[in-house]
Amino acid sequence: MDSRRKILLDCDPGIDDAIALCLAAAHTEAFCFLGITTVAGNQTIEKVTDNALRLSEFLKLDVPVAQGARTPVIREPLTASGIHGKNGLGDVPFPRAEAEPAGENAVLFMRNKIMELPAQEKVTLIATGPLTNVGLLLKACPEVRERIQEIVIMGGACTGGNVTANAEFNIYEDPEGAAMVFLSGLPIVMCGLDVTAKCGLNREAMAFLLERDGKVSEKVGKMLQFYLDSPGYRDKETASIHDAVPFMYLLHPELFQGEKMYVQVDCSQGISRGATVCDRRSSAHGQEPPVMVLLKGDSDKFREYLLEAVFSLDEKLSE
Ligand code: BDR
Ligand code: CA
């Protein structure tokens, strides 16, 4: 039996979603991809789907890609082109993909991939975009619940936010979708800003990547350069690679520390809309809280292992 973790990735590529895929593609001994689904977030649904198809082929993952929600459950979509560029990948070109998106919508695609697994196997859902597709999946197809090992999310924060004072982008983009996931009671690992903001690649790493003359290093170096030249990072040494944290956590849990908590999403129209309210009172709900909230990570090791993964892909893809 194939003992690798069965992965469905729901994403909105996105520079850091793309770098997360590089990390995953370097570790095919650990991850078995069942598919990639897309959700509107960093860019429009057409652009992020096109990017996912291009990345899947460029990284020789060659997995099916299914397009998902065009808009959040309730609110109007926002994009983040200031941070991720007009094409969503820092305006770095990737070769056009030959494959087309799968015929099914992301929700149905995920449901079918999960239910087609042999009875004893479970899937790990990784979400690095707004939680629209995952929330709808859990609501519309409750039969998948017992086939889900865990849901590892990049999103939220115990403290603070990046798009508003209290809200992180992925959760702010679709608070109602996120609430459906956090209220599901399923085992969740929340990789929020508390940890992801400190996990990144610095200017020295960018120089290594750009001078290396590798197929993947060049693309990652250029996307990182776009981040580091953007107004948010211009005066900073390091750009956070938020979306690589879920995969790094699964590969190297020893690098991270967290606590189990209850997490609720603020779905009000107030100033904290989209905030993840993390309740650290272990006794407040009468049972073990379902969300492991990561709070700390080893930034040096994160950078080292991420660079190693990119360099190893250069070798692997040149064979
Ligand atoms: C998250 O928002 C997006 O811009 C990134 O891709 C990441 O998923 C960070 O807040
Ligand atoms: Ca993302």
Side-chain angles (χ1 to χ4, degrees):
M1 193 178 102
D2 183 352
S3 60
R4 296 175 301 162
R5 217 177 242 273
K6 307 298 172 301
I7 301 286
L8 278 170
L9 170 66
D10 189 61
C11 59
D12 61 338
I15 294 175
D16 54 339
D17 303 75
I19 299 177
L21 266 172
C22 294
L23 175 61
H27 287 283
T28 45
E29 80 296 346
F31 302 126
C32 167
F33 267 83
L34 304 179
I36 299 174
T37 52
T38 58
V39 60
N42 287 325
Q43 260 300 353
T44 62
I45 191 65
E46 286 78 14
K47 288 188 184 177
V48 299
T49 305
D50 184 47
N51 289 344
L53 286 163
R54 287 175 192 244
L55 288 162
S56 170
E57 284 186 18
F58 179 77
L59 297 171
K60 295 211 168 38
L61 277 166
D62 295 322
V63 287
V65 172
Q67 180 164 296
R70 176 172 299 279
T71 61
V73 174
I74 290 179
R75 74 172 308 156
E76 287 300 309
L78 309 160
T79 60
S81 55
I83 300 170
H84 297 271
K86 287 200 195 77
N87 79 346
L89 297 175
D91 298 336
V92 175
F94 282 79
R96 184 182 293 277
E98 283 178 16
E100 295 282 325
E104 304 146 309
N105 172 279
V107 172
L108 201 54
F109 174 90
M110 283 194 273
R111 188 245 169 228
N112 290 342
K113 287 287 173 201
I114 295 170
M115 299 313 288
E116 281 163 11
L117 277 176
Q120 70 282 11
E121 294 209 47
K122 294 195 174 195
V123 74
T124 299
L125 288 184
I126 300 184
T128 60
L131 288 164
T132 320
N133 295 332
V134 182
L136 291 172
L137 170 74
L138 299 179
K139 276 286 174 206
C141 310
E143 66 275 23
V144 299
R145 288 177 58 93
E146 59 187 33
R147 311 297 302 279
I148 295 176
Q149 186 171 346
E150 58 186 339
I151 307 177
V152 188
I153 293 168
M154 188 286 126
C158 249
T159 320
N162 58 0
V163 60
T164 72
N166 289 328
E168 179 279 331
F169 178 83
N170 287 340
I171 308 297
Y172 184 73
E173 171 87 12
D174 192 350
E176 286 75 19
M180 292 196 263
V181 177
F182 281 103
L183 289 174
S184 70
L186 289 171
I188 292 174
V189 180
M190 177 176 126
C191 311
L193 296 175
D194 314 279
V195 63
T196 65
K198 295 174 210 122
C199 291
L201 291 174
N202 56 16
R203 290 178 189 276
E204 190 186 23
M206 180 178 85
F208 283 151
L209 288 159
L210 291 175
E211 75 198 10
R212 200 180 150 89
D213 193 28
K215 193 176 160 194
V216 184
S217 298
E218 185 216 347
K219 300 287 187 199
V220 174
K222 286 186 172 162
M223 290 192 290
L224 181 58
Q225 192 164 33
F226 187 93
Y227 257 168
L228 287 167
D229 286 346
S230 72
Y233 283 118
R234 207 167 282 154
D235 303 322
K236 299 202 175 119
E237 209 24 57
T238 301
S240 305
I241 310 295
H242 304 280
D243 290 341
V245 173
F247 286 106
M248 191 65 86
Y249 166 75
L250 292 174
L251 288 164
H252 290 288
E254 75 283 0
L255 302 188
F256 299 94
Q257 288 160 31
E259 277 175 45
K260 287 219 156 183
M261 300 184 204
Y262 266 90
V263 178
Q264 287 186 51
V265 180
D266 186 334
C267 291
S268 74
Q269 300 298 329
I271 56 169
S272 292
R273 178 164 170 77
T276 42
V277 180
C278 298
D279 190 346
R280 305 176 96 137
R281 299 169 303 157
S282 56
S283 60
H285 301 268
Q287 58 192 45
E288 196 188 3
V291 185
M292 166 58 80
V293 179
L294 299 189
L295 295 168
K296 286 187 184 160
D298 183 332
S299 337
D300 291 341
K301 286 275 178 231
F302 175 88
R303 186 174 61 250
E304 181 187 326
Y305 292 158
L306 185 53
L307 284 178
E308 258 175 38
V310 175
F311 296 157
S312 77
L313 266 187
D314 285 335
E315 306 297 323
K316 195 165 147 186
L317 299 190
S318 69
E319 283 162 10

